[in-house]
Amino acid sequence: MRHLYNRSDFASLPTLDLDPRLHLLLSQRIAALEEELIDWTEYLVVEPGDTEADIQRHIGLSPLVDPVSGKRWGEEGFHPGWDYHAKHDGWWELLFTFGSTFAYVVFIADAEGVPGDLLDLCRRLP
């Protein structure tokens, strides 16, 4: 799991050994940030071998749990907590915003070894 959360991490992006598609996505997202949002945006990369507990440890929430009701993905009444989602070549993107400035952007590899319920959730997104 990779967690990029400050300017130093963002500056190190060119040196990281990443899937080229992910590298392009991260580069585009970081370059598009307005100056005042750079210190208020964090990126989390979920790769094979990472777990839901890893996600929770890094950002304090799980995409599989409704932040209001506490219902899990698959339970009746589940509503996702993200504000935006997108499918990219080999990657899923979920954006969680808090207030008017802070955001977590979570990139999830569409690959074997990523938690199956997380992939199921992403693959069923409209």
Side-chain angles (χ1 to χ4, degrees):
M1 180 161 292
R2 298 176 190 267
H3 189 179
L4 296 94
Y5 56 88
N6 59 36
R7 289 172 192 258
S8 176
D9 289 343
F10 300 162
S12 74
L13 185 61
T15 67
L16 298 178
D17 181 26
L18 298 172
D19 174 321
R21 299 167 298 180
L22 175 63
H23 190 278
L24 179 62
L25 285 169
L26 283 167
S27 296
Q28 290 172 337
R29 294 302 183 271
I30 292 168
L33 286 175
E34 295 178 23
E35 180 64 26
E36 63 270 12
L37 296 179
I38 289 175
D39 296 321
W40 297 97
T41 306
E42 297 184 18
Y43 297 87
L44 186 70
V45 178
V46 180
E47 300 171 291
D50 294 334
T51 66
E52 180 181 5
D54 293 329
I55 297 168
Q56 289 174 310
R57 187 173 50 259
H58 282 274
I59 64 173
L61 59 86
S62 167
L64 296 166
V65 177
D66 179 331
V68 175
S69 71
K71 294 187 183 230
R72 289 191 62 79
W73 161 247
E75 293 181 345
E76 187 174 332
F78 169 84
H79 297 285
W82 57 81
D83 300 291
Y84 170 82
H85 70 274
K87 181 180 192 233
H88 305 284
D89 183 26
W91 293 89
W92 297 95
E93 178 181 11
L94 303 177
L95 171 68
F96 298 85
T97 60
F98 301 88
S100 62
T101 55
F102 186 81
Y104 289 122
V105 182
V106 180
F107 287 105
I108 302 164
D110 191 359
E112 187 175 327
V114 171
D117 48 356
L118 185 57
L119 286 179
D120 185 46
L121 168 66
C122 290
R123 291 172 178 162
R124 291 178 188 247
L125 295 175

